[in-house]
Amino acid sequence: MRFTSLTSADGVTERSFTLDDIPGVLWTPHTEPTALVLVGHGGGQHKRAPGVAARAARLAAGHGFAVAAIDAPAHGDRPRSAEHERIITEMRSRMAGGGDPVPLLAELHTLLAAQTVPEWRSVLDALGDLGPVGYWGVSLGCALGLPLVAAEPRIRAAVLGLSGTSLASAEAAAGITVPVRFLVQWDDERVPRQEALALFDALGSAEKTLHANPGKHEDVPGFEADSAVRFLAGHLGRLG
Amino acid sequence: MRFTSLTSADGVTERSFTLDDIPGVLWTPHTEPTALVLVGHGGGQHKRAPGVAARAARLAAGHGFAVAAIDAPAHGDRPRSAEHERIITEMRSRMAGGGDPVPLLAELHTLLAAQTVPEWRSVLDALGDLGPVGYWGVSLGCALGLPLVAAEPRIRAAVLGLSGTSLASAEAAAGITVPVRFLVQWDDERVPRQEALALFDALGSAEKTLHANPGKHEDVPGFEADSAVRFLAGHLGRLG
């Protein structure tokens, strides 16, 4: 893992890193971190998207957690493979023709998940022990996070959601056993409500809580994000 | 309103009262109350059931709120009318014959709601101004609370749930405009999941959040009740 830049502001240090060809960012508080939260960004976003950076600052400055984000394959600073290009091109042409992009989007998510799970695990190895580990990822970050959280025993709690059974793996969800906060937008224009509920239903965790609010995919209320931060803090903090 | 007894312990004063023929309890903190929460008990329970008393103590001692509970008609210290007896007897005989008690239970809830809404409003009048008002009622307390919260402009936030469209009025739900926390038990043996979701859907409030946890009707996790207390405190407290 090679750190390539360092900035510091408002009690948080931000370091860019690369591990093999994976670009990432590590945010740390100015005190010894008490836990590490991995943040998986949304579709079309990247490791330093405004929502990711704001959440990282909140977790680091407010709770003393380290936070790591990486670009998912084909996102941010990462190249698209021929396979990525094929799916994205087909998806665009299908949408232009008024067709349903979901089967191709699901195919893309499956491809990206297979690539990113071992990447996240190698990042975890390289970061070393920064305390108990949590995961935060909704939308694409949920589809890629489900197999990661299921596979990685170091992850002890996860915030997931804004996805459904057509876009993410219910089989991976069934393999998860740690506490999960699952976010649903009641009027989500991208995720059919019943598919979101079915994905929550599929989660194997004994402790899982669904929080649903009115509004579209991007309209998660600020109080809900704050509550999810407290959920992670409760499970990863000193009492966790 | 006539106060008939007074006890005090752990920073909370508990007074029994009667207003006309309505028996109730008022819990107050030892400081000036900053808000008032009305608690509607569950079916077969009463104004001083363990869950009601524990919640009242938490709200009074922990948040400085006054809390009032009354016996619903045909519950606790209150007599059953001939009409109550008829429905309850029919319900028992139908259940003994393996039939579906839900239509009769819904009839009972409608009858009790018509009786208890004006009772709660006269209790509010008699208690005078104790600050902004909230309502907490799940199960029967939700079925009776929906028309109360819809009708009573003094109520500014409500915790509802553990009920569905067969047992409670979706029409009353549609008349509610204040922030609502709505609790769902994912494996509720008394409330079909889709009916609970449909009742949440029917709520007219712009700010409403559904929280669903695994488990049966009586298994609401402690952290969820704590979170609902914080929800009320946030809406009724000094910032509310």
Side-chain angles (χ1 to χ4, degrees):
Chain A
M1 180 171 277
R2 197 163 58 88
F3 286 95
T4 54
S5 77
L6 184 153
T7 60
S8 192
D10 299 328
V12 179
T13 299
E14 181 186 315
R15 288 177 183 86
S16 297
F17 66 78
T18 56
L19 177 69
D20 304 326
D21 56 349
I22 312 157
V25 185
L26 178 67
W27 292 268
T28 48
H30 290 175
T31 51
E32 187 80 14
T34 57
L36 169 64
V37 176
L38 313 179
V39 177
H41 63 73
Q45 299 189 0
H46 57 85
K47 62 186 176 305
R48 216 186 290 269
V52 176
R55 186 147 308 118
R58 175 81 190 274
L59 286 161
H63 293 276
F65 291 178
V67 178
I70 60 174
D71 285 334
H75 284 75
D77 297 329
R78 302 188 68 182
R80 289 178 182 172
S81 69
E83 183 74 352
H84 299 144
E85 290 290 3
R86 179 191 62 77
I87 300 174
I88 291 165
T89 305
E90 276 186 40
M91 201 158 56
R92 288 203 176 131
S93 106
R94 189 170 303 182
M95 284 168 79
D100 178 11
V102 166
L104 285 159
L105 197 55
E107 187 188 345
L108 182 64
H109 286 184
T110 302
L111 174 64
L112 299 182
Q115 295 172 326
T116 206
V117 169
E119 293 175 352
W120 268 122
R121 302 186 79 176
S122 68
V123 166
L124 262 181
D125 292 342
L127 287 173
D129 184 11
L130 294 170
V133 181
Y135 180 84
W136 181 312
V138 295
S139 198
L140 174 68
C142 174
L144 306 191
L146 288 167
L148 173 64
V149 178
E152 179 47 66
R154 285 172 286 190
I155 297 177
R156 300 201 194 167
V159 176
L160 300 165
L162 303 189
S163 189
T165 43
S166 287
L167 292 164
S169 165
E171 193 181 346
I176 292 179
T177 57
V178 297
V180 170
R181 173 69 57 87
F182 191 88
L183 306 185
V184 171
Q185 286 297 97
W186 203 243
D187 312 295
D188 197 314
E189 75 283 15
R190 299 190 212 161
V191 182
R193 189 184 294 167
Q194 290 305 324
E195 295 186 10
L197 299 173
L199 188 58
F200 172 71
D201 200 42
L203 286 164
S205 308
E207 183 180 336
K208 58 180 180 179
T209 306
L210 180 152
H211 284 197
N213 288 285
K216 297 194 167 185
H217 193 75
E218 307 267 8
D219 297 342
V220 175
F223 67 76
E224 198 59 79
D226 292 348
S227 170
V229 166
R230 287 195 301 274
F231 163 82
L232 280 184
H235 284 285
L236 304 178
R238 289 200 188 90
L239 298 171
Chain B
M1 179 171 277
R2 196 163 59 88
F3 286 94
T4 54
S5 77
L6 184 154
T7 60
S8 192
D10 299 327
V12 179
T13 299
E14 180 185 316
R15 290 177 182 85
S16 297
F17 66 79
T18 56
L19 176 69
D20 303 324
D21 57 348
I22 312 156
V25 185
L26 177 68
W27 292 268
T28 47
H30 289 176
T31 51
E32 186 80 13
T34 57
L36 169 64
V37 177
L38 313 180
V39 178
H41 63 72
Q45 298 189 2
H46 57 84
K47 62 187 176 305
R48 217 186 290 268
V52 176
R55 186 147 307 119
R58 176 80 191 275
L59 286 161
H63 293 276
F65 290 177
V67 179
I70 60 174
D71 284 333
H75 284 75
D77 297 330
R78 301 189 68 181
R80 289 179 181 170
S81 69
E83 182 73 353
H84 298 143
E85 290 289 3
R86 179 190 63 76
I87 300 174
I88 292 165
T89 304
E90 277 186 39
M91 200 158 57
R92 288 202 176 131
S93 106
R94 189 170 302 183
M95 285 169 79
D100 179 9
V102 166
L104 284 160
L105 197 54
E107 187 188 348
L108 182 63
H109 286 183
T110 302
L111 174 65
L112 298 182
Q115 295 172 326
T116 205
V117 169
E119 292 174 353
W120 267 122
R121 301 187 80 176
S122 67
V123 167
L124 262 181
D125 292 342
L127 287 173
D129 184 12
L130 295 169
V133 182
Y135 180 84
W136 180 312
V138 294
S139 198
L140 174 68
C142 174
L144 306 191
L146 288 168
L148 172 65
V149 177
E152 180 46 68
R154 285 171 285 191
I155 297 177
R156 299 200 194 169
V159 176
L160 299 165
L162 303 189
S163 188
T165 43
S166 287
L167 292 165
S169 165
E171 193 182 346
I176 293 180
T177 57
V178 297
V180 170
R181 173 69 56 88
F182 191 88
L183 306 185
V184 171
Q185 285 296 98
W186 203 243
D187 312 295
D188 197 314
E189 74 283 15
R190 299 191 213 162
V191 181
R193 189 185 294 167
Q194 290 307 323
E195 295 187 9
L197 299 173
L199 188 58
F200 172 72
D201 201 43
L203 286 164
S205 309
E207 184 180 336
K208 57 180 181 179
T209 306
L210 180 152
H211 284 197
N213 288 284
K216 296 194 168 185
H217 193 75
E218 306 267 7
D219 297 341
V220 176
F223 67 78
E224 199 58 78
D226 291 348
S227 170
V229 166
R230 286 195 302 275
F231 163 81
L232 280 184
H235 284 284
L236 304 180
R238 288 199 188 90
L239 298 172

